[in-house]
Amino acid sequence: MSRTVGQYLVDLLVANGIDTVFGIPGVHNLELYRGLAGADIRHVLVRHEQGAGFAADGYARLSGRPAAAFVISGPGLTNILTAAAQAYSDSVPLLVVATTPPRASLAKQWGVLHELNDQHALAAGVFGVACAAQTAEDVRDHLRRCLSSLRVGRARPAYLEIALDLLSATTTLSAARFEDKALLPQAEAAQVTAAVGALHVAERPIVIAGGGARHAGSELRRLVVTTVAGKGLLPETHPANLGASLPYRETQALIAQADVVLAAGTEMAETDFYTALKLPLGGLLVRIDVDPAKLSDHYAADIPIWADSRAALESINRGLTQRPGWRTQLGGLAALRAQIDAKLNAVARPLIAALRAIRAALPWNGVVFSDMTQIAYCGNYAFPTEEPGHWFHPSGYGTLGFALPAALGAKISNPARPIIALAGDFGLQFTFGELMTAVEAGHSLPIVIWNNAALGQIRDDMIAADIPPLGVVAKNPDFVALARACGAAAVAVAVRDARALTEAVRLGLDRPGPTLIEIVAADFARDA
């Protein structure tokens, strides 16, 4: 069967399990949309390519399956790069398909529409895998490589570009399903034995678990602190759980005192604790990661284990026997967490009250997609989660505007799941246009805004550093009126009563379409 390469690519995506595409059609990718018109695949029209990337990110984070984003050459790619960088830093599998100007014009500076000096090189600096197709066979082979990269080892976003003239060329290639070779590295027996030996004699061991250990919760039953990406690996009340408390001195002191640190599926990055470039490690480091580069970075492991965290931890646990240890000596981690809670300052108390009100509204399987905002920074530690995958934060790259489109993408992947977006007033304005996308999608989606009339964290940092707070206070729109103008239900929660916030979120979860819920921080703080 003869069809255009654009149609062929869409058929390949369908054959290989891609069921959703986020994007915006343009003159340079019309052949992709010819393919979409007759394919068993859902297209979601977004308002900005960055929103397409964040929505595909949210889709993948919740479902574990990649979605695709279609963008045009030039500005389409540059607009989505921020979302791609976020997915790269947080190990999220997504596929971006972009076009380029015609092949004859590439790198020749003819002044064609959407021209860049080297579009592929630009993408290669951000994506985990970046491929440029010159033939229909390239489209097939490069797509195979892109999709394989999303399943093997540490997930990174993948990129495929196709020139405009190639996209409209015809091919008779068949759209076959690629062989799935999603293999993970296996821990070497000698390294497992060394880890067991170190832990067997350790008097003060501690485990740091990240997003790479999300599926290993049943194996983590000792003394565990998680990164934000690993939040929920242990139930909140588990006696071994220190929670996502890496930023706090009490937890960092335990890590410094530990004679063995077992780091599973975590970079232990600056964005996991924010107080330094490197955690204070005083003891032996056992490190488990599917990314071999992590085993010898600035946290070079004494015992490196290149493997999937769950499989490696299962092997290690088989060799260990339970015995009284450091957790017994500490007298229970609830007391240590209470010390952290007691030191949270007055700024945090209204944030915690709002987070508790939101938690009270969410069913057991509710999910929060948060943004870069003070209420989310507090929630990274203080929002209780009983399982992994209930709290998603743009940790590694730290992009404003993530929450709304990511929550929408997640909701599209699983319409029955209760999901909310939690954003600050300034960050929401980065991608507010995706509220219209949410209105069109029609799924229930509470969007909770913490309105403190400022870039609050930066303002506070400036004041703490004795810098005049310049450029951190701006005039906000009337969010409620704006949401209603978009066709969304809107609730102004000038919250003097946290119960009103809980009720508003519950109503938003039951109402079809998005509901914007505004918390005016100044009013809420007076009564928290």
Side-chain angles (χ1 to χ4, degrees):
M1 179 181 68
S2 179
R3 58 206 186 286
T4 69
V5 170
Q7 291 174 293
Y8 172 58
L9 172 68
V10 172
D11 290 345
L12 277 173
L13 293 176
V14 174
N16 286 280
I18 301 294
D19 62 11
T20 302
V21 170
F22 299 91
I24 305 174
V27 294
H28 273 191
N29 65 3
L30 292 181
E31 285 301 325
L32 291 173
Y33 283 80
R34 188 195 303 275
L36 286 174
D40 184 18
I41 195 168
R42 168 177 43 194
H43 179 266
V44 180
L45 174 64
V46 296
R47 270 31 184 202
H48 191 281
E49 288 91 353
Q50 188 177 100
F54 285 147
D57 179 310
Y59 182 103
R61 289 193 198 224
L62 187 69
S63 70
R65 307 186 311 274
F70 284 176
V71 299
I72 60 168
S73 51
L77 173 65
T78 54
N79 281 343
I80 205 172
L81 282 179
T82 294
Q86 183 65 64
Y88 183 96
S89 65
D90 285 353
S91 304
V92 178
L94 64 89
L95 173 69
V96 173
V97 177
T99 54
T100 73
R103 286 168 286 183
S105 73
L106 296 178
K108 295 179 181 176
Q109 297 296 296
W110 288 354
V112 299
L113 181 64
H114 301 159
E115 185 176 75
L116 288 166
N117 285 338
D118 191 337
Q119 181 171 308
H120 177 260
L122 185 64
V126 176
F127 289 83
V129 168
C131 301
Q134 299 297 319
T135 66
E137 289 79 9
D138 282 352
V139 170
R140 176 196 62 207
D141 296 342
H142 288 333
L143 183 63
R144 181 191 294 114
R145 181 186 173 201
C146 286
L147 294 179
S148 177
S149 76
L150 303 181
R151 300 189 299 269
V152 177
R154 184 177 183 182
R156 301 288 201 185
Y159 169 81
L160 173 61
E161 67 179 30
I162 308 170
L164 177 61
D165 57 319
L166 174 59
L167 204 65
S168 59
T170 58
T171 181
T172 58
L173 292 174
S174 61
R177 182 172 180 83
F178 304 138
E179 185 178 352
D180 189 353
K181 295 182 178 179
L183 302 176
L184 291 171
Q186 301 298 309
E188 294 182 9
Q191 300 304 94
V192 170
T193 299
V196 169
L199 290 167
H200 182 72
V201 299
E203 296 181 356
R204 300 180 306 281
I206 193 166
V207 178
I208 303 175
R214 274 182 57 187
H215 303 295
S218 61
E219 303 301 322
L220 298 168
R221 290 294 184 267
R222 282 163 170 69
L223 184 63
V224 181
V225 56
T226 73
T227 65
V228 174
K231 191 174 172 68
L233 277 166
L234 291 184
E236 201 72 24
T237 56
H238 191 282
N241 188 14
L242 277 163
S245 61
L246 281 176
Y248 300 102
R249 291 180 180 177
E250 289 80 1
T251 296
Q252 291 184 17
L254 286 181
I255 293 170
Q257 296 165 31
D259 53 3
V260 175
V261 173
L262 171 58
T266 174
E267 290 185 294
M268 296 180 286
E270 179 198 8
T271 50
D272 291 323
F273 50 92
Y274 281 109
T275 55
L277 289 176
K278 188 176 179 182
L279 281 169
L281 301 183
L284 191 76
L285 176 60
V286 180
R287 200 161 182 193
I288 305 169
D289 212 292
V290 294
D291 182 355
K294 292 289 98 188
L295 302 176
S296 57
D297 64 10
H298 64 311
Y299 291 107
D302 298 295
I303 301 175
I305 301 177
W306 182 29
D308 169 67
S309 290
R310 181 173 182 174
L313 288 167
E314 285 176 349
S315 297
I316 290 170
N317 278 345
R318 281 197 295 269
L320 293 175
T321 55
Q322 289 189 345
R323 58 186 174 84
W326 199 15
R327 199 173 86 208
T328 306
Q329 298 168 24
L330 290 171
L333 300 186
L336 191 142
R337 294 190 69 171
Q339 293 176 26
I340 296 174
D341 295 345
K343 291 182 179 179
L344 294 175
N345 61 27
V347 173
R349 292 190 189 103
L351 301 172
I352 291 172
L355 290 164
R356 287 174 177 166
I358 294 167
R359 174 69 271 181
L362 279 176
W364 70 270
N365 62 339
V367 179
V368 177
F369 279 81
S370 61
D371 218 306
M372 299 298 289
T373 172
Q374 282 182 312
I375 191 170
Y377 305 150
C378 183
N380 284 339
Y381 167 70
F383 190 86
T385 54
E386 298 301 311
E387 295 179 4
H390 288 202
W391 176 272
F392 292 105
H393 185 70
S395 297
Y397 203 58
T399 50
L400 284 161
F402 172 82
L404 170 54
L408 174 59
K411 190 69 178 181
I412 288 170
S413 81
N414 190 341
R417 193 82 180 265
I419 297 170
I420 74 167
L422 177 62
D425 49 358
F426 205 85
L428 184 69
Q429 294 179 69
F430 273 52
T431 51
F432 193 85
E434 302 311 334
L435 182 62
M436 282 303 305
T437 310
V439 169
E440 290 175 347
H443 300 302
S444 62
L445 182 65
I447 303 158
V448 181
I449 308 172
W450 180 259
N451 184 351
N452 58 9
L455 286 162
Q457 186 62 53
I458 309 306
R459 174 202 60 204
D460 294 350
D461 290 346
M462 283 178 153
I463 292 171
D466 198 26
I467 298 171
L470 178 66
V472 290
V473 177
K475 183 175 176 59
N476 278 331
D478 184 334
F479 287 112
V480 172
L482 191 56
R484 287 176 177 159
C486 291
V491 180
V493 186
V495 188
R496 291 187 173 87
D497 183 355
R499 287 177 296 180
L501 175 55
T502 298
E503 182 62 21
V505 173
R506 283 177 176 158
L507 288 173
L509 290 170
D510 291 336
R511 180 184 289 122
T515 299
L516 186 140
I517 302 167
E518 181 183 9
I519 308 171
V520 179
D523 293 333
F524 191 88
R526 280 195 289 268
D527 297 288

